Amino acid sequence: MRKAVERLRGECGMETDQEKMARLERENSLLKDILNHIHEGVMVTNKEGHVEFYNKVIGAIEETSPEEMVGRPLLSLYPFSQKYSSTLTVMKTGKPIFEMEHCYLSTNGKLINIIYSTLPFIYRNQMEGAYCIIRDVTKMGNFLTRSMRMYHKLNNTLNADFHKNGTSFTLDDIITQNAKMRELIAMARNASIYHSNVLVCGETGTGKELFAQGIHNAGLQSGGKFVAVNCAALPANLIESLLFGTVKGAFTGGQNTPGLFEQAEGGTIFLDEINSMSFGLQGKLLRVLQDKTVRRIGGKENIRINCRIISATNQNPLEEIKAERLRQDLFYRLSAIYIGIPPLRERIDDLSLLAKHFINQYNSIYGKSIEDIDNNLLGFLTSYPWPGNVRELEHFIESSCINVDPDTKHLDLNNIPESFEKKLGTKNTLPPVIPQGKSLNSALQSVEKQILKAALEQNDYNISKTAKELGIHRQALHYRINKFGLRHEQKDDEA
C-alpha cells in the first residue's frame, strides 16, 4: 500500500518521503556551508541554553573551533550572569536586540571587540532559541578602509577633475618602494577614515603636503575643501585674521569675512609649519581644538566648526617644545595621529624610482626622450645627502632634462647642471667606471662601497666625522659598514 501511494505521488509530481528527507538534508547542508563563509559570525543557542550552531567566522574571531563550542552551555563559555546575557534576555522576552557594542575576553583570553544583534528563533509559535549575528570591529575598520580606497580610485578614474576640492594628489601618487614609506602610507590610509587630528613631520621637500592631501582625498571628507596655509609665510596679526575671520568695524577697513576654519567646513584645513606660530596664537588654536568653535576678530559670537585639522612641521616637534617654540599641550592635541616622513637620504632605495618618475614627467613637458640614468651618475646621486630631499631631486632632474639634446637617451656625468657640479663633486672625484653589464643594484652597491671606504679612510675611520661628512646618521653608517664589511679601528666619539 505504501509503495502504491509513493508511486501515485510520483505520477502526480509530488515528493516521496525519502525525496523530501534528501532535499531537506541537502538544504540544511547548503545553509551551513553558506553560514560558514559569510563575513558575520553566527551563533545559535537552543531553548535549553546550549550552543547549537557556531560558524567558522566567529571561531576565527575568538580563535576557537565549532567542535569546541557546540553542545556546551552558553553560560559556561561566556561567564556573565544570566541577567546580562542578551541571548537569554531575548529568549525570555521574545524581542530582538540590535546593534549592541561589546568588549570581552574569549575563552582563551583574547580581547574581543564586536558589534552584535540577537534575535529570537520562533518555530510553530514556540520559542526554540535565539541566534546572534556578530561583526568584528577591527575587520570592519579594515573593510571600510579598503572600500574607501576602491571608491576613491573609481571616483578619480570617472572624475579626473577631483582637484576642484583644492588638492592635486592622492596617496597613490606617493612614489616609493621603501618599507618605512609603505608603512606610513598604510597608516595614512587608516587615519583617513577617522576625524582625528594628524601631525605630519618631515624635513623640507619630503612631501608633507602630499601626505596631507592624500589623507583628505582618501577620507569621507574628500568632498569638502582642502584649505592650506603656511604659518611661516605670514605675520602673526595677519594669520590670526586669516584663520579666524573678521567682523565689520573690528579695525579700519575691516569687513565681515569668514576665516579659513569656516571656509574648510566639511573638509580639511592644513596648517604647515605650525611651530612658527606665536605662542599666543598657539593658545587660541588650542581653544579651537578643545571647543570646536572660532570667534572672528572683533566678534562676540562663537561659531561652531566641523573640519579636520592636519598640521605639519619641518623640525623635530620635541626639540621645538624644548626650545619653547611649540606648546606641549598643543602638540598633544595636534598629534592624535603622528606621521614622521624620513628624508630622502634614509630612503635612498627610492632614488632611482623617483628619478625615473621625474624623467618621464619632464620628458612629456619638454618633449625629450630620456630613458634612464647612467650608472656612474646614479652612483653620485645615491651618495649625495639631498638636503632638499625629493623636491631637490625633482629640481635636479628638471634642470638636467632642460640642458640635454632632444635625442639624448641617458643622463650621465656630462649632463649635470652647473649648479649641481660643485654639490656632487663630480669635477674632482670621479669613481671607477661601472661595467654597463652589471645590474643596477650591483652597480649602486659597488659605488656606495667605494665612496664609504674612501670617506672612512679620509677621516681615519672616525664614525662621527664620516657620518657628518656624508650627511647620514651614525646608525645608518654603522649599518653600511657591517653590510659591506668595512670594519676597522673605529673612533666613535672624537670631534
Side-chain angles (χ1 to χ4, degrees), residues 187-464:
M187 183 190 302
R189 289 194 193 283
N190 187 54
S192 69
I193 67 175
Y194 303 104
H195 201 65
S196 302
N197 299 326
V198 180
L199 178 63
V200 185
C201 182
E203 295 179 6
T204 298
T206 51
K208 297 185 291 297
E209 185 165 354
L210 197 158
F211 265 91
Q213 291 188 18
I215 291 171
H216 173 80
N217 282 323
L220 296 172
Q221 76 279 10
S222 62
K225 288 184 178 180
F226 179 89
V227 179
V229 57
N230 188 321
C231 301
L234 299 168
N237 61 334
L238 182 56
I239 193 172
E240 183 175 358
S241 61
L242 190 66
L243 288 174
F244 301 122
T246 59
V247 297
K248 189 173 183 178
F251 51 86
T252 304
Q255 299 295 322
N256 289 320
T257 307
L260 295 182
F261 281 108
E262 292 180 65
Q263 294 177 39
E265 182 71 13
T268 298
I269 186 168
F270 176 56
L271 304 174
D272 197 8
E273 298 194 49
I274 190 73
N275 52 309
S276 66
M277 272 189 183
S278 67
F279 248 52
L281 189 53
Q282 287 185 33
K284 292 183 179 181
L285 177 59
L286 184 63
R287 176 62 62 184
V288 172
L289 295 172
Q290 291 171 340
D291 298 343
K292 301 297 182 184
T293 62
V294 295
R295 180 180 293 183
R296 295 183 184 180
I297 295 176
K300 296 180 180 180
E301 297 181 357
N302 289 333
I303 302 170
R304 183 157 294 279
I305 60 168
N306 175 33
C307 64
R308 179 181 207 152
I309 298 176
I310 302 179
S311 54
T313 172
N314 58 8
Q315 302 294 328
N316 185 316
L318 299 181
E319 292 179 2
E320 292 296 281
I321 291 171
K322 188 176 181 180
E324 298 185 347
R325 288 188 290 267
L326 179 65
R327 289 179 59 128
Q328 188 172 28
D329 49 2
L330 178 62
F331 167 71
Y332 292 134
R333 280 282 183 177
L334 292 173
S335 60
I337 299 170
Y338 179 83
I339 296 177
I341 307 175
L344 181 56
R345 61 183 173 274
E346 292 181 11
R347 46 179 286 217
I348 209 68
D349 50 332
D350 276 342
L351 189 139
S352 60
L353 188 66
L354 287 164
K356 181 65 175 176
H357 168 74
F358 292 133
I359 285 173
N360 291 336
Q361 176 179 307
Y362 289 108
N363 274 345
S364 299
I365 294 174
Y366 298 123
K368 306 289 180 161
S369 56
I370 303 166
E371 297 175 356
D372 215 333
I373 297 179
D374 174 78
N375 285 341
N376 291 307
L377 174 56
L378 197 55
F380 273 104
L381 299 184
T382 56
S383 65
Y384 178 62
W386 298 104
N389 293 289
V390 179
R391 187 180 295 140
E392 185 181 12
L393 174 62
E394 181 179 3
H395 173 60
F396 171 83
I397 297 296
E398 181 181 10
S399 298
S400 299
C401 289
I402 291 172
N403 290 333
V404 300
D405 296 328
D407 58 348
T408 299
K409 298 298 182 184
H410 291 82
L411 293 180
D412 58 32
L413 293 168
N414 297 316
N415 305 130
I416 295 176
E418 187 175 347
S419 59
F420 278 88
E421 286 182 350
K422 187 175 181 181
K423 291 181 181 180
L424 297 176
T426 56
K427 292 289 187 182
N428 304 315
T429 54
L430 287 175
V433 175
I434 305 300
Q436 293 297 320
K438 280 192 174 184
S439 68
L440 176 60
N441 187 52
S442 175
L444 290 175
Q445 290 195 35
S446 178
V447 172
E448 185 179 8
K449 181 177 180 180
Q450 292 177 64
I451 292 171
L452 287 170
K453 184 177 180 182
L456 285 165
E457 290 176 349
Q458 184 175 340
N459 290 288
D460 194 25
Y461 279 79
N462 183 302
I463 300 300
S464 297

Side-chain angles (χ1 to χ4, degrees), residues 68-84:
E68 296 177 71
M69 307 296 280
V70 173
R72 296 177 63 181
L74 180 71
L75 292 179
S76 72
L77 298 171
Y78 305 98
F80 37 61
S81 69
Q82 185 167 338
K83 178 181 177 182
Y84 295 105

Side-chain angles (χ1 to χ4, degrees), residues 79-215:
F80 37 61
S81 69
Q82 185 167 338
K83 178 181 177 182
Y84 295 105
S85 168
S86 64
T87 297
L88 299 182
T89 300
V90 166
M91 285 196 287
K92 182 178 179 181
T93 64
K95 297 180 179 179
I97 297 174
F98 294 106
E99 298 296 308
M100 298 293 293
E101 297 180 11
H102 188 42
C103 186
Y104 65 98
L105 290 175
S106 67
T107 54
N108 61 3
K110 179 185 177 183
L111 183 65
I112 309 292
N113 194 2
I114 61 171
I115 294 176
Y116 69 94
S117 296
T118 307
L119 298 95
F121 172 47
I122 300 174
Y123 181 68
R124 293 183 176 177
N125 296 321
Q126 295 292 322
M127 178 65 67
E128 292 293 329
Y131 58 95
C132 288
I133 300 173
I134 300 154
R135 287 173 289 166
D136 185 342
V137 171
T138 301
K139 287 186 177 180
M140 286 171 63
N142 294 337
F143 176 74
L144 180 58
T145 300
R146 291 196 303 271
S147 298
M148 288 297 298
R149 186 178 181 184
M150 291 173 64
Y151 166 77
H152 285 293
K153 276 189 174 181
L154 177 61
N155 189 52
N156 292 341
T157 300
L158 297 177
N159 180 21
D161 199 21
F162 75 95
H163 307 302
K164 286 182 178 179
N165 64 5
T167 65
S168 301
F169 304 103
T170 70
L171 291 173
D172 291 327
D173 292 317
I174 299 175
I175 308 298
T176 187
Q177 59 186 6
N178 178 267
K180 175 64 176 176
M181 287 292 290
R182 286 177 175 174
E183 288 179 11
L184 294 178
I185 293 170
M187 183 190 302
R189 289 194 193 283
N190 187 54
S192 69
I193 67 175
Y194 303 104
H195 201 65
S196 302
N197 299 326
V198 180
L199 178 63
V200 185
C201 182
E203 295 179 6
T204 298
T206 51
K208 297 185 291 297
E209 185 165 354
L210 197 158
F211 265 91
Q213 291 188 18
I215 291 171

